[in-house]
Amino acid sequence: MTTTEETTNAFTEVLDAAGAKPCGLCGKRAAVRTEVAAPVQSAGGTLGACPDRVDNATWFCFECGHEE
């Protein structure tokens, strides 16, 4: 992908508005807080929820895909 100063500035503005922070894995300032889907009940148990996440949210890095 070819980037220009204009697209870089626009992406930076979006990350600022989203409250982005540096990623714990790649170090790029592209990690944003996202809500985790509500738990889904299945015959085998609960899917889609992480029991150690109290606030039902995670940080996702748009640069490397890392979640924390």
Side-chain angles (χ1 to χ4, degrees):
M1 179 174 123
T2 304
T3 60
T4 65
E5 186 175 337
E6 184 177 318
T7 58
T8 300
N9 291 342
F11 189 57
T12 300
E13 287 180 27
V14 169
L15 290 173
D16 286 342
K21 71 173 190 171
C23 173
L25 184 64
C26 73
K28 303 279 185 176
R29 193 175 147 265
V32 295
R33 187 174 188 267
T34 59
E35 295 297 318
V36 177
V40 176
Q41 294 293 326
S42 70
T46 301
L47 302 174
C50 184
D52 58 348
R53 284 197 185 116
V54 177
D55 65 354
N56 208 34
T58 188
W59 287 86
F60 176 80
C61 179
F62 281 93
E63 185 68 32
C64 70
H66 175 73
E67 292 182 23
E68 52 186 72

